[in-house]
Amino acid sequence: MSIVIETQMLIRKSANIVFNAFVDPLITTQFWFSQSTGYLEKGKSVQWTWQKYNAVANVHVLDIQENKLICITWGEPKSKVDFVFEKISALETYVTIKNYDIPLEGDALMNFVIDSAGGFTTVLDAAKIHLEHGIHANFVQDKFPPF
């Protein structure tokens, strides 16, 4: 059985703005991770850091289609993540995040599914409020203790 974890959110900004928010770490650090070693580019590897949690993720970009798709591998255990950007109108973009190719089974897989679904939902919520309203809401930073 192949598990695909999927979260989604309408963001009321153009596909270009929303896509750029995920490839440009100067923007992404406003709603997701605290540091990055660089922009997302096809074939490139970067490192994302969440300073509060003392966590680091190695990210390898498998594919990028401007304003449409970012495909990466990341994490422990390594899995694939697609960020799909669908233009709904000039000022609306539907973002879907799919996490798959997860090399786990049983309880470990179930825990991964719960963490991934919750984590990517939080990322989309934070991206929405930041891009639509300019608010740095600290959703990711405030998700887990210590506060």
Side-chain angles (χ1 to χ4, degrees), residues 20 34 47 58 68 78 83 89-90 112 119 139:
N20 192 52
S34 53
Q47 193 173 70
N58 294 311
K68 294 182 180 180
K78 188 180 288 186
F83 300 84
S89 72
F112 186 95
F139 288 162

Side-chain angles (χ1 to χ4, degrees), residues 1-50:
M1 175 170 66
S2 179
I3 300 290
V4 178
I5 304 156
E6 186 172 312
T7 61
Q8 57 280 316
M9 178 68 67
L10 178 71
I11 299 179
R12 288 181 174 85
K13 288 292 179 181
S14 70
N16 181 46
I17 288 172
V18 178
F19 175 85
N20 192 52
F22 282 85
V23 298
D24 182 348
L26 295 176
I27 302 168
T28 322
T29 55
Q30 300 302 306
F31 64 86
W32 191 0
F33 42 80
S34 53
Q35 290 181 327
S36 174
T37 57
Y39 285 79
L40 297 185
E41 299 175 53
K42 185 176 181 175
K44 185 176 178 182
S45 292
V46 298
Q47 193 173 70
W48 292 341
T49 302
W50 292 262

Side-chain angles (χ1 to χ4, degrees), residues 59-112:
V59 177
H60 181 71
V61 183
L62 299 173
D63 193 17
I64 287 201
Q65 297 171 23
E66 190 171 348
N67 301 334
K68 294 182 180 180
L69 173 73
I70 302 166
C71 178
I72 65 170
T73 58
W74 83 321
E76 278 300 321
K78 188 180 288 186
S79 63
K80 288 184 181 174
V81 180
D82 291 347
F83 300 84
V84 181
F85 305 88
E86 180 184 352
K87 178 182 175 180
I88 302 300
S89 72
L91 293 176
E92 294 177 316
T93 305
Y94 195 66
V95 182
T96 303
I97 301 176
K98 298 177 183 181
N99 192 185
Y100 57 100
D101 284 355
I102 305 156
L104 297 171
E105 295 179 355
D107 288 346
L109 176 60
M110 186 57 63
N111 290 333
F112 186 95

Side-chain angles (χ1 to χ4, degrees), residues 118-133:
F120 284 126
T121 298
T122 300
V123 168
L124 286 176
D125 293 344
K128 179 179 180 70
I129 199 165
H130 179 71
L131 294 173
E132 290 184 11
H133 304 286

